[in-house]
C-alpha cells in the first residue's frame, strides 16, 4: 500500500510540469518536432524507429521524413523528404483552450520544382501533428514530440 501511495505521489508531482507545457504556446518561428509515427493516406500507419524530424526556424523549414503516397507525376524525391528550404506563411492561428493552447500553422515551400504544403497542429510545447501534401501527390500525416533544439 505504501508503494502505491509513493508511486501516486511521484506521478502527481510530475503532472503539473507536463501540464505547464500544454498551457504555453510554441514559438511558431522556432521549434523542432521529432516525428515518431506516420499515417499515409493509402498505406497502413507505421511507428517510426529511425530519427525523423522537422525544424522550423525563422523563414525556413528543414525536413527529414519518410514519404509513402501515390504521386501523379514522377518525383525526384523517391527516398522521402529531405531538404531545407525557405517558406511562405499562409496561416497562423493560436487557440486558447481551457487546459492547453493549440497553434495551427500552415505554409508552403518548394524543393526541386515541387511545391509542398505543411500543416502543423501543435498542442502547447509538447506534441504535434503534421500533414504534408506534395503538389501532385497524396497527403501523408505524421505525429511526434516538440523538443528543444539541443535534445
Amino acid at each position: 500500500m505504501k508503494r502505491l501511495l509513493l508511486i501516486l505521489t511521484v506521478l502527481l508531482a510530475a503532472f503539473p510540469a507536463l501540464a505547464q507545457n500544454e498551457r504555453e504556446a510554441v514559438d511558431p518561428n522556432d521549434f523542432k518536432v521529432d516525428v515518431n509515427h506516420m499515417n499515409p493516406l493509402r498505406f497502413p500507419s507505421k511507428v517510426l524507429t529511425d530519427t525523423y524530424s522537422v525544424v522550423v526556424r525563422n523563414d525556413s523549414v528543414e525536413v527529414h521524413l519518410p514519404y509513402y503516397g501515390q504521386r501523379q507525376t514522377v518525383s525526384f524525391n523517391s527516398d522521402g523528404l529531405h531538404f531545407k528550404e525557405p517558406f511562405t506563411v499562409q496561416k497562423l492561428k493560436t487557440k486558447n483552450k481551457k487546459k492547453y493552447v493549440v497553434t495551427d500553422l500552415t505554409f508552403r515551400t518548394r524543393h526541386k520544382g515541387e511545391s509542398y504544403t505543411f500543416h502543423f497542429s501543435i498542442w502547447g510545447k509538447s506534441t504535434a501533428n503534421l500533414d504534408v501534401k506534395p503538389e501532385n501527390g497524396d497527403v501523408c500525416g505524421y505525429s511526434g514530440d516538440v523538443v528543444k533544439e539541443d535534445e
Side-chain angles (χ1 to χ4, degrees):
M1 184 68 172
K2 288 183 181 182
R3 271 188 154 159
L4 180 61
L5 287 174
L6 179 63
I7 292 170
L8 286 174
T9 303
V10 170
L11 288 176
L12 289 174
F15 187 72
L18 294 173
Q20 184 63 28
N21 273 345
E22 298 294 324
R23 288 192 290 266
E24 296 176 10
V26 71
D27 180 354
N29 296 314
D30 187 18
F31 66 91
K32 177 181 179 183
V33 177
D34 280 346
V35 176
N36 52 36
H37 192 265
M38 72 180 297
N39 190 20
L41 182 65
R42 299 174 196 259
F43 299 94
S45 63
K46 182 178 179 180
V47 174
L48 301 174
T49 56
D50 289 339
T51 303
Y52 294 105
S53 64
V54 178
V55 179
V56 173
R57 176 108 346 91
N58 298 324
D59 63 347
S60 66
V61 61
E62 185 175 346
V63 182
H64 300 285
L65 294 173
Y67 176 80
Y68 296 115
Q70 190 171 15
R71 297 198 182 221
Q72 285 74 32
T73 60
V74 176
S75 173
F76 297 106
N77 301 322
S78 61
D79 66 337
L81 306 175
H82 304 281
F83 57 83
K84 182 176 181 178
E85 296 289 345
F87 64 82
T88 58
V89 173
Q90 290 185 324
K91 185 170 71 169
L92 172 64
K93 186 191 305 186
T94 302
K95 298 179 249 177
N96 289 311
K97 302 290 185 177
K98 194 172 192 175
K99 294 184 178 181
Y100 53 88
V101 175
V102 178
T103 302
D104 286 323
L105 174 66
T106 303
F107 59 79
R108 297 188 95 186
T109 189
R110 294 188 67 78
H111 178 68
K112 292 187 178 179
E114 188 166 16
S115 177
Y116 297 89
T117 301
F118 288 74
H119 176 79
F120 289 89
S121 291
I122 305 167
W123 284 268
K125 292 183 176 179
S126 59
T127 59
N129 287 342
L130 165 64
D131 290 327
V132 178
K133 170 82 171 84
E135 181 177 34
N136 293 308
D138 290 340
V139 66
C140 190
Y142 304 90
S143 61
D145 301 316
V146 177
V147 296
K148 293 180 182 177
E149 185 60 38
D150 57 347
E151 289 183 5

